[in-house]
Amino acid sequence: METEIIKVGADATGAILEQEGILRAGALLKNGGLVAFPTETVYGLGGNALLPNAAKKIYAAKGRPSDNPLIVHIAELSDLERIAIEIPEAAYTLADRFWPGPLTMILKKSEAVPLETTGGLSTVAVRMPNHPVALALIRAGGGFVAAPSANTSGRPSPTKAAHVIEDLRGKIEVILDGGAVGIGLESTIIDLTEEQPTVLRPGYITLEALEDVIGPVQMDRGLITEDSKVAPKAPGMKYRHYAPKAEMTLIDGAPEDVISYIKELTAEQIAEGRTVGILAAEESISRYPQGLVLCIGSRADAEEIAQHLYDCLRQFDEEKVDVIYSECFSDAGIGQAIRNRLLKAAGHRVLRVP
Ligand code: TXA
Ligand code: MG
């Protein structure tokens, strides 16, 4: 299949450029086609959420297991009632505060949503993204766009159109190129179908920020326990995911100790003939004499780290390094989500020093 790549964006006033291309892409969605598009978190691979066949095509294009449900993206709050039932008050309170934005809510699904979209579940994930192109596309596409991250299953999520092109060119009808995304990590997922609201995937909106609005929120036990028998509730969180091809290990401890230990490990690997990637903060990159050292951003700027994380992991793939060592970064704020994604990318391999 020939994939059309259309450059899109908004000018300084927020007016959308390439309106015609977005309308054409919307028409394709209505007819069951697939369109990748930018959101404020990561690029999404969109299909019509109300057509069982579109969901099947999404799974095929991504190589994704079909029991891993999709997020339905909407552009109007009033559309929530078409796809969800028994919506609790907390959903409206959260929508009022955080939509459009990087928050996905799990609710009971209505008859309108096919089981293909929800991976067989009776619940549906819903999000209203905060990106002018995404909102325009959703409206042009009929209002309900199922979209997982636009990467091949298992690879790091795409934060630039080039990443989407790498993974999906030739497999989908259109890629809307809106440049680099703003946040760089997937949305926070909150489950509102249980007694107590539960975060199933940490993201830009922290647990504390959610509690400020709706009171007590818990973290899914499957995300925080060391007990690998407790599975995360979001099916997608159980797969090795966000992962570079090389084996990655996180080195945790005081920065000076971490730097010394990574230097030691790197020297050993190189002596044995392997190539090494190092993921480091701006403050420490000059300290590593060997290895392919990538700068993830300043230790003091978690948002910068979030923006660069997936791009760095993809660069390690491109350079075909054999092993990767990563420093650890602050856990505060979006640092929670960064740590969660790093742990998944590393298959939970962490070495603590000293
Ligand atoms: O920021 C984002 O959320 C991006 C952009 C494109 O919006 N989308 C995204 O979708 O990250 P995806 O498919 O890569 O991740 C969706 C996650 C998966 O872990 C999936 O298992 C979980 O949401 N999920 C979806 N529906 C669910 C449901 N009904 N119950 C529990 N988890 C669900
Ligand atoms: Mg994904």
Side-chain angles (χ1 to χ4, degrees):
M1 174 188 309
E2 181 85 25
T3 300
E4 187 186 358
I5 298 165
I6 306 174
K7 281 224 186 272
V8 291
D11 67 14
T13 69
I16 291 177
L17 310 171
E18 258 312 324
Q19 197 59 266
E20 188 274 331
I22 295 173
L23 291 179
R24 211 148 36 78
L28 272 166
L29 287 178
K30 280 188 179 161
N31 290 323
L34 301 186
V35 176
F37 61 99
T39 81
E40 80 280 33
T41 57
V42 298
Y43 273 77
L45 167 55
N48 189 328
L50 307 185
L51 298 179
N53 251 325
K56 285 188 190 151
K57 282 200 222 165
I58 290 175
Y59 291 119
K62 272 183 70 89
R64 174 174 180 145
S66 59
D67 67 343
N68 189 0
L70 309 173
I71 296 175
V72 180
H73 295 69
I74 58 175
E76 316 293 338
L77 188 57
S78 56
D79 281 342
L80 187 58
E81 281 146 36
R82 276 272 310 275
I83 52 174
I85 54 169
E86 298 170 35
I87 303 169
E89 198 49 45
Y92 292 103
T93 315
L94 289 171
D96 192 46
R97 173 70 185 76
F98 296 112
W99 277 1
L103 181 69
T104 296
M105 299 189 223
I106 310 288
L107 299 163
K108 281 198 186 147
K109 84 170 192 70
S110 76
E111 293 282 317
V113 187
L115 288 168
E116 282 79 357
T117 298
T118 65
L121 298 176
S122 59
T123 54
V124 61
V126 192
R127 170 164 119 81
M128 189 189 292
N130 186 17
H131 191 293
V133 171
L135 292 169
L137 177 72
I138 294 164
R139 291 190 181 111
F144 303 92
V145 176
S149 49
N151 50 288
T152 300
S153 190
R155 292 209 74 198
S157 292
T159 55
K160 298 173 176 173
H163 299 158
V164 183
I165 293 169
E166 207 171 277
D167 285 10
L168 296 176
R169 175 182 246 165
K171 298 183 175 164
I172 62 177
E173 278 83 357
V174 170
I175 296 172
L176 297 179
D177 175 355
V181 300
I183 293 177
L185 295 182
E186 304 83 350
S187 61
T188 304
I189 301 179
I190 186 167
D191 183 357
L192 297 175
T193 65
E194 305 269 2
E195 198 110 323
Q196 175 149 30
T198 306
V199 170
L200 305 188
R201 178 174 72 183
Y204 186 80
I205 296 171
T206 60
L207 188 132
E208 294 72 28
L210 295 166
E211 287 192 326
D212 280 348
V213 181
I214 56 165
V217 173
Q218 61 185 5
M219 188 65 83
D220 181 12
R221 280 227 320 127
L223 297 182
I224 45 180
T225 175
E226 303 268 312
D227 179 354
S228 57
K229 282 188 223 94
V230 184
K233 185 171 177 194
M237 296 299 278
K238 72 185 180 216
Y239 300 105
R240 179 169 180 265
H241 210 181
Y242 317 113
K245 290 174 184 149
E247 182 177 286
M248 174 161 151
T249 306
L250 308 187
I251 314 297
D252 204 358
E256 279 307 313
D257 297 333
V258 167
I259 292 169
S260 310
Y261 195 40
I262 292 180
K263 276 162 68 175
E264 214 176 285
L265 291 167
T266 301
E268 277 170 27
Q269 293 288 349
I270 289 175
E272 288 168 21
R274 282 186 281 272
T275 55
V276 178
I278 300 173
L279 192 53
E282 192 182 313
E283 290 80 358
S284 44
I285 45 170
S286 65
R287 306 281 305 281
Y288 297 104
Q290 289 175 292
L292 173 72
V293 186
L294 294 185
C295 174
I296 195 169
S298 166
R299 230 169 244 299
D301 188 347
E303 302 207 353
E304 191 187 8
I305 291 178
Q307 267 168 15
H308 295 155
L309 174 59
Y310 289 145
D311 190 46
C312 288
L313 296 182
R314 279 179 180 260
Q315 280 185 55
F316 286 133
D317 281 353
E318 233 163 79
E319 302 292 333
K320 299 194 169 62
V321 296
D322 297 317
V323 290
I324 302 169
Y325 297 115
S326 173
E327 298 180 349
C328 285
F329 312 99
S330 159
D331 259 357
I334 194 181
Q336 264 174 20
I338 293 168
R339 183 155 180 106
N340 168 267
R341 305 308 193 275
L342 277 172
L343 278 169
K344 284 180 69 64
H348 287 263
R349 253 183 315 275
V350 185
L351 293 175
R352 288 188 178 82
V353 280

